[in-house]
């Protein structure tokens, strides 16, 4: 099954860790990587802004992508959060299988 990579930025590490944990606990993502120190330059409400953020990289099967994006939008503190989905072209088959297995809602707890 194809895997999607969902990208989003958070204002700080605490927010990023909270969102990552919820997405994994709810089996919307198999894994969420946090990349601190991302610097975003963007136009917002007519002004050019720059801010240091934490980049989230969430891995989920394509059939869970929309649910993950909706939940992330619901939880995110920003008025207009960055939420982008990129479908992977390929990957290590065992890893792709793991992503799918870890996001099944019928999976048994460890």
């Amino acid at each position: 099954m194809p895997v999607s990579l969902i990208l989003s930025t958070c204002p700080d590490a605490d927010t990023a860790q909270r969102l990552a944990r919820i997405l994994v606990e709810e089996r919307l993502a198999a894994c969420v990587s946090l990349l601190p120190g991302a610097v975003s330059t963007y136009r917002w409400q007519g002004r050019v802004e720059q801010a240091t953020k934490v980049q989230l990289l969430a891995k989920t099967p394509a059939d869970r992508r929309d649910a993950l994006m909706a939940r992330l939008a619901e939880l995110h503190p920003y008025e207009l959060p960055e939420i982008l989905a990129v479908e992977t072209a390929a990957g290590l088959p065992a890893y792709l299988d793991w992503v799918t297995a870890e996001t099944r809602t019928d999976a048994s707890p460890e």
Side-chain angles (χ1 to χ4, degrees):
M1 171 173 297
V3 168
S4 292
L5 181 63
I6 310 300
L7 296 89
S8 186
T9 53
C10 292
D12 54 61
D14 288 342
T15 300
Q17 290 168 5
R18 181 178 64 82
L19 295 178
R21 185 161 194 89
I22 290 169
L23 295 174
V24 172
E25 284 177 348
E26 294 181 1
R27 293 192 176 273
L28 293 168
C31 172
V32 181
S33 300
L34 310 181
L35 305 176
V39 177
S40 293
T41 303
Y42 53 95
R43 184 177 305 277
W44 181 248
Q45 298 179 342
R47 294 181 47 197
V48 174
E49 305 280 344
Q50 190 168 52
T52 301
K53 301 182 180 208
V54 177
Q55 181 75 52
L56 298 182
L57 302 174
K59 283 70 83 176
T60 194
D63 68 348
R64 301 287 283 155
R65 180 194 63 223
D66 292 344
L68 185 153
M69 290 173 42
R71 183 68 168 135
L72 184 55
E74 176 184 308
L75 296 168
H76 208 287
Y78 288 164
E79 178 183 341
L80 180 61
E82 170 193 61
I83 301 175
L84 300 171
V86 178
E87 189 171 320
T88 58
L92 181 68
Y95 182 80
L96 300 177
D97 291 344
W98 174 81
V99 169
T100 299
E102 291 304 313
T103 55
R104 295 300 84 173
T105 56
D106 59 348
S108 61
E110 295 180 25

